[in-house]
Amino acid sequence: MAFIEIAGLRKIYGSHEVLKGIDLEVDRHQVVSLIGASGSGKSTLLRCINALEPIDAGRVSLDGDVVSGPGVDQNRLRRKVGMVFQAFNLFPHLSVEDNIMAGPMRLLGESREAARDQARALLDRVQLGHRASYYPDQLSGGQQQRVAIVRAIAMRPEALLLDEITSALDPELVAEVLNIVRDLARDGMTMILATHEMQFAREVSDMVVFLEQGTLLEKGPPEQIFGNPTEARTRQFLKQIIEAGRL
Amino acid sequence: MAAADPSGLSPPPPSLGLAVVALLVAVAGLLVIGITGGAVRAGVSDPGLHGLASGALYVALAAGAVTLWLGARSLTLALQSRADLARSEILAARASAARARDSALIVFGLTLALMIGFFLVQMILFNDGKIQKTFLRWDLMTESAADVARAFLVNLKLALIAQVLVMIVGLFLAVARLTPGRAGAPVRMLAIAYIDLFRAVPAIIVLYLIGFGLPLTGLPLISKVSSQWFAIIALTLTYSAYVAEIYRSGIDSIHPSQWSAARSLGFSFPQTMRFFILPQAIRIVIPPLLGAFIALQKDTSLVNVIGTMDAFNQAKFYASANFNLSSVLVVAILFVIITIPQTRFVDWMLERSLEKRKRG
C-alpha cells in the first residue's frame, strides 16, 4: 500500500472545478513533481492533501489512514505532513529561531532548550546558523525560504509538500534552496513538489505528474515524461518550456 | 518657448512678475497690520490689555518688515536674473531666478501665517477686549485653576480605568466576531449586534441611561456603585464597540498566508489566533487604538450630565458664580495639555510604521 493515496479527488470553487478527479499514489521516500501550467491545479492539490482546503469528493489517505472527510484530526495530520509555500510565509514578528521553535515547543511539547538545540542544528545544516536571532525581513528571499523549510522539518514530518518554493526567488537564489531539497531527497524524505523548475524536477524526481486543467493527464518516471511524453498536450507544454529556455 | 540662446541653454521661467506681486503683498500686509492694529488698540481701555495690544502690534510690524525685506530681495534677484539673461549668462540667470521665486513664495507663506495669527490676537482685543473678558479673565482662571485641576484627576482616573477595560472587552468582542464555523454563528451574531448597537447610540445617551437608570433598578451591587463607576461602565460599553472594530481591522489585515503557515504546522484555529495573528494585529492597531483612547479621554467630560464631579462640572460652578467662562477655558487647556503629546506620539508612530512599510 502506498504511503499517500489520493483517489477520485475533486475540488470545486463555486462553479469552477479546479480538480476533476485526481488519482495518485506516492510511496514512502518517493519524490514526486507536479508540473503543468499556472492554474492547472498543482497548488490546490497540495493544499487538499494536508486539508488546508476541504475536498468535495474522493479520498486522501496517509499511511493507510483515511485523512479526508469529517471528523479527522486535521491538526495531527498536518503535524505529519509539512508544507513550504511560494511566499515563504514566515512569521514576521518572530525571530528565525522562534519561527522554527514555535511548533516543536507548543505542539510537540518539547522544552525550550531541546527545541533551540534542534533549531540551531537544522539552521547550521542550511548554512544559516549565524542568522538564528535575525528577523525574517532582515533576510534575503533565499534565506527566508531556507528557514521556512527548516521550520517545516523541525516538526519531523513524514512527508513534505513544497508549493513552488522557488517561484518568488531571484534567479541567483534558486540554487541555494534547491540544494536543500536535493539533500532532503537524498535523506529519504517523502516529498511532493509543485514546480516550474523542470531541470530540477527531472533530476530529483522518482515520478513526474503532468496536470492539465484539473486533470492528471500523464504520470511516469522523469525520463519518460521529459523524453517521450505520450500526450500531445504534455509535448506542447514542454515545447513551450524549452522555447523559454527553461529546460 | 523663449528665444534660443547661442549657448544652447534654455532660459529660466520668468520671475519678475512673481517678485513684484510678493513685494506688493508685503507692503499691503504691513499697511493692514498698522491700520487694524492701531484702530483696535485705540478701542482698548484696560491698561494691561493696552500693553498686550501694543506688543502684538509691534511684533506683527516687525514680522511684516521681514516680509518686506524678503519681497525687496526677491525683486532685486529677479532684476539681476534679467540682467544676466541679457548678457547671455544663462546659468547665473537660472540661479538668481530660482532664488527670486523662492523668496517670493516665502513672502506669501509668511504673510498668510502672519495675518491669521495677527487677526486671532486682534479678535481677542477687538471691541475693548470683549472676547478676552468673556473667556480669558486671568484672575478668574487662576482662582478656579486649583479646584478644576483637582477635579481633572477624576477625568484622568475615569479615562485610565475605562481604557484598560475597553482594551480587554474590545479584544473579546473582536475575537467573538471572528469565531468561525456554524457553531460560532450565534456568538458572531451577538458580537455584531452589540457592536452595531453601541456604535449607533451616542455616548451621552448611554451615560444618561446607565447613570440614572441603574440606580433605579435596585439590582444588588450594580445599582449601589458610585457615579464614577457608572461613568466607567458607560464609557466602556460605548468604546469597546469601536475598539472591537479596530482590532478586527487589524486581524483582517494579516495576510491569509499567515493562517496557512500556522495551520500547516498543525496549530489549531485558537492557537493560530493567539500565537501568530493577534501579536501581529495588535502591533498594527496601536496607532488607531490610541486615537480611540484620546477620544475616550475627551468624552470623560460628558459625565457631568450624571453629576459626577469632574473638571467640567467643577468649572461650571465657577462659571455660573462669576457669569464668566474663563474657568471652563481652564478645562479646555487641561485637555489640550494632556492630548497634544499623545496625538504627536501617535503621528510619530504612524510615520514610523509607514516608513517601515516603504522600506519593507
Side-chain angles (χ1 to χ4, degrees), chain A residues 47 52 75 78-79 85 89-93 102-103 106-107 151 155, chain B residues 257-258 260-268 271 275-276 279-280 283:
Chain A
R47 294 175 69 89
L52 279 182
N75 298 326
R78 292 182 189 130
R79 275 179 229 170
F85 301 86
N89 302 8
L90 294 178
F91 305 121
H93 64 300
R106 298 197 190 280
L107 298 174
R151 181 177 67 179
M155 291 294 288
Chain B
S257 63
Q258 289 288 307
S260 293
R263 299 308 298 275
S264 80
L265 286 167
F267 286 95
S268 65
Q271 286 174 322
F275 298 127
F276 305 109
Q280 295 183 56
R283 249 166 261 203

Side-chain angles (χ1 to χ4, degrees), chain B residues 80-325:
Chain B
Q80 166 83 44
S81 167
R82 210 164 64 155
D84 289 338
L85 207 56
R87 278 183 283 118
S88 276
E89 286 176 19
I90 306 285
L91 291 178
R94 284 181 184 175
S96 327
R99 288 173 62 204
R101 271 195 307 280
D102 253 7
S103 298
L105 292 177
I106 293 173
V107 169
F108 297 144
L110 213 56
T111 308
L112 182 69
L114 177 60
M115 284 297 151
I116 291 172
F118 179 70
F119 275 104
L120 279 177
V121 177
Q122 298 309 304
M123 216 170 68
I124 293 169
L125 302 168
F126 175 67
N127 196 9
D128 199 5
K130 275 279 150 45
I131 290 190
Q132 183 270 336
K133 283 172 191 156
T134 311
F135 295 108
L136 286 163
R137 285 263 309 268
W138 185 245
D139 54 332
L140 296 180
M141 288 171 82
T142 46
E143 178 198 304
S144 62
D147 277 350
V148 170
R150 203 169 307 122
F152 192 65
L153 292 177
V154 173
N155 293 70
L156 293 182
K157 177 180 150 196
L158 297 181
L160 277 175
I161 298 175
Q163 281 163 356
V164 171
L165 293 175
V166 160
M167 215 152 50
I168 298 164
V169 177
L171 185 57
F172 271 105
L173 281 168
V175 172
R177 187 166 183 174
L178 293 167
T179 315
R182 223 164 9 149
V187 180
R188 280 201 299 278
M189 304 266 265
L190 270 178
I192 291 171
Y194 178 94
I195 291 167
D196 283 356
L197 187 67
F198 279 95
R199 285 203 305 170
V201 182
I204 197 164
I205 306 287
V206 176
L207 201 56
Y208 202 87
L209 290 173
I210 299 274
F212 290 121
L214 278 188
L216 293 179
T217 61
L219 292 169
L221 280 174
I222 193 80
S223 60
K224 302 280 192 299
V225 298
S226 73
S227 80
Q228 288 192 8
W229 274 99
F230 290 136
I232 289 167
I233 292 169
L235 287 169
T236 305
L237 286 174
T238 298
Y239 274 89
S240 37
Y242 285 101
V243 166
E245 286 299 277
I246 293 175
Y247 277 125
R248 188 170 71 103
S249 72
I251 294 168
D252 280 347
S253 73
I254 303 300
H255 198 270
S257 63
Q258 289 288 307
W259 284 95
S260 293
R263 299 308 298 275
S264 80
L265 286 167
F267 286 95
S268 65
F269 181 94
Q271 286 174 322
T272 302
M273 187 67 113
R274 156 88 179 72
F275 298 127
F276 305 109
I277 305 301
L278 283 181
Q280 295 183 56
I282 287 172
R283 249 166 261 203
I284 292 173
V285 300
I286 285 174
L289 207 56
L290 290 177
F293 281 179
I294 291 170
L296 185 156
Q297 226 160 262
K298 295 192 296 177
D299 274 359
T300 55
S301 62
L302 297 176
V303 303
N304 78 89
V305 302
I306 59 169
T308 306
M309 197 37 115
D310 78 322
F312 184 28
N313 231 349
Q314 182 68 262
K316 284 203 308 187
F317 278 107
Y318 280 97
S320 48
N322 298 320
F323 296 108
N324 186 284
L325 292 172

